[in-house]
Amino acid sequence: GACECNHGYQGTPTFDGSEWTTSMCAQNMCDAYVGFPVGVEAGGVDGCTASITLSGVTDPSCTMQCKAGYSNSVKVASTLQCPLSGSTTPTTDMTACQAIKIRTVTALNLNGLDANALPTGFHATFKTATEATINA
């Protein structure tokens, strides 16, 4: 009878006259995944690394997530997946994450100030100085 490589492997097993050997079977590999989407990093569990090469059997997936201070409307974490057949770029539904912008407002006590005594342009300068966007 013939012998085949296990699912997720390719090659040609050999018969030495008494037994079959699968040492000529190699695991199916995916192409290296290059470049996280903007604002995305390795996930907390089995996180993807830069230029990771996943395999169809022993390491078929890794995780990615939005960086701290980033989010998106679709997902904040996802899996990068290599199919059993390999030979392709791994797939994910992770999209770019955008920086979360926070506008802060600080209350000031302006009691006793005479608006007419403020210098010219004070209102515009004060507004600019008190609005902050934080890109965490």
Side-chain angles (χ1 to χ4, degrees):
C3 184
E4 295 180 356
C5 294
N6 290 332
H7 291 292
Y9 292 81
Q10 61 185 340
T12 306
T14 56
F15 186 71
D16 68 5
S18 62
E19 66 181 8
W20 286 96
T21 178
T22 58
S23 62
M24 298 305 293
C25 295
Q27 187 172 184
N28 295 334
M29 304 297 288
C30 276
D31 298 333
Y33 183 77
V34 181
F36 289 111
V38 173
V40 175
E41 66 184 3
V45 176
D46 190 25
C48 302
T49 56
S51 301
I52 190 167
T53 301
L54 297 172
S55 61
V57 178
T58 59
D59 190 17
S61 65
C62 61
T63 63
M64 54 180 70
Q65 65 190 17
C66 289
K67 292 179 179 179
Y70 285 74
S71 184
N72 69 34
S73 60
V74 181
K75 290 187 168 223
V76 294
S78 189
T79 301
L80 183 65
Q81 187 73 40
C82 178
L84 193 60
S85 61
S87 302
T88 184
T89 300
T91 58
T92 183
D93 57 359
M94 188 74 191
T95 59
C97 299
Q98 295 77 37
I100 298 170
K101 295 182 179 181
I102 302 170
R103 183 174 178 179
T104 59
V105 179
T106 304
L108 298 175
N109 183 354
L110 300 177
N111 289 336
L113 282 180
D114 180 358
N116 295 324
L118 296 173
T120 305
F122 173 82
H123 293 83
T125 303
F126 183 74
K127 181 180 180 198
T128 301
T130 57
E131 289 182 352
T133 299
I134 301 171
N135 290 318

